[in-house]
Amino acid sequence: MKTPISHILRKLKPANHAKIPSPPPHLFNLPTKFPPNSPLIPQNRSKTLQNGPSVPKFLDSVPKFDKSTQRRSISSAESNPAAPDAASVAPPSEAIDAGSSIRKPLSLWPGMYHSPVTNALWEARSKFYEKISSENGSAQSELIAKKPSASRTSILYKFSSDYILREQYRNPWNNIRMGKLLEDLDALAGTISFKHCSGEDSSTRPLILVTASVDKMVLRKPIKVDTDLTIAGAVTWVGRSSMEIQLEVIQSSEETSDPLDAVALTANFTFVARDSETGKSAVINQITPESEKEKEVWKEAEERNKLRKKRKGEQKKEINDRDMDKLNEMLSEGRIFCDMPALAAQDSILIKDTCLQNSLMCQPQQRNIHGRIFGGFLMRRALELAFATAYAFAGSAPCFQEVDHVDFFKPVDVGNFLRFNSCVLYTELENPSKPLINVEVVAHVMRPELRSSEVSNKFYFTFTVNSDALRNGHKIRNVVPATEEEARRVIERMEAERSY
């Protein structure tokens, strides 16, 4: 005869089972019904909620979502019905608020991958696209000359008062994330170039504007993440189908009142225009500098453009006798590591032992309005990998110093397989108080279906280490090449550094 399960459970139950005491009633002394004027219940529905409505009736009482009421204004031009046109969405006198679009839907933008600043800039650009019929539009028939002030745009980061915005840009050491700042610089340069190339005819189809190159950027002073920051720029030079946009990163301090001391970084972006239908180069609006300062900046940009063309046309120089001696000297030390590692210098390391890499698939959320991957996104990913490479090499958090000239060789499309390879190429130890770490990052665009791999970009970053780490006896090691190819890369980079 089988024993009932209930009988077994009764035997297993402890005889002196202690009763768990109930919590005091005052801990849960909550009203079962809220008063009609409670702030927890919308006033127009308090009675309905207390009486327990059916679901359909409750949903009918919820206000319908209206996108037009949810869009936050990012400038006085958007909130002013009498604003002349979208080109004045960010007037020179008023900066775009970097935190204005953090908490709003991104329904108008092609991708969801944006920093707070790119959110605000896409909102500004959307004003143009609401007026332009790009599919059936025609090419711009009449070019116009614009002043540099017409494209001037600025972004204001209210780091001192906007906690949410500050958290977006803070790294683990309470410094600013330079990668995100580079990404924002590219986004702002794109918006400025778009404003310059736009015409007054709404039937004109927009041009494809892409980042062609970025000049060397040197950080003049550290950027704080708890102090307000401004990025401002305008088109300073125009060719036939290319233009240069100069941007300044400005952060004032109490130590000095000189405006020049407030400029932490200057960046020069070159954009090129393509016809959205034919893909060929497109002629763009010219520029008419007026003030003496604008004319001086235009001449400097003209010289930089000539220098870029000269460097682009030059073939690789053969290594001279002096550089050949340097190459052999570097290789002699590298051969010790390869052939007699036990006798190698303890304060040196091979280039190949400093390498890191990462890979990613380019997703639709990372694309720009033309379906390509943002140049700023590539710069940010490259800088963050370079930072990690310098961190693993130095043993302490590195400090960004500069990024060398960047050329965008190949476009990166959605669906491409992107791989970043990084290494410490060489170090400069002449100044013990400020050693420099030079990191190379190479971006490869891979298409497995076609069995192809092409170099999209080469990035060169320079870092140093915190002075506190050096005072504690921390030392940076020398980096040596193991192959002739590595030695040639080092010499070419040193030569490029000397040419600036």
Side-chain angles (χ1 to χ4, degrees), residues 296-348:
E296 181 183 349
V297 171
W298 188 92
K299 290 179 181 178
E300 293 173 356
E302 175 73 12
E303 291 299 322
R304 283 192 296 268
N305 182 63
K306 291 179 180 178
L307 185 59
R308 291 189 205 102
K309 290 182 177 179
K310 181 181 177 182
R311 287 176 179 167
K312 191 175 182 180
E314 287 179 349
Q315 299 294 328
K316 280 189 177 180
K317 295 181 180 180
E318 292 294 330
I319 294 181
N320 54 34
D321 293 340
R322 178 186 172 188
D323 290 336
M324 185 60 70
D325 293 339
K326 179 70 174 176
L327 184 145
N328 291 328
E329 181 184 346
M330 289 188 293
L331 284 178
S332 63
E333 190 174 355
R335 292 190 187 101
I336 300 297
F337 274 90
C338 298
D339 300 335
M340 297 176 287
L343 301 178
Q346 297 299 311
D347 59 350
S348 298

Side-chain angles (χ1 to χ4, degrees), residues 19 28 68 125 135 154 219 318 329 398 468 479 482 494:
K19 184 178 180 182
F28 299 98
S68 62
R125 290 194 212 182
E135 294 182 359
S154 59
L219 189 66
E318 292 294 330
E329 181 184 346
D468 293 337
V479 181
M494 289 181 173

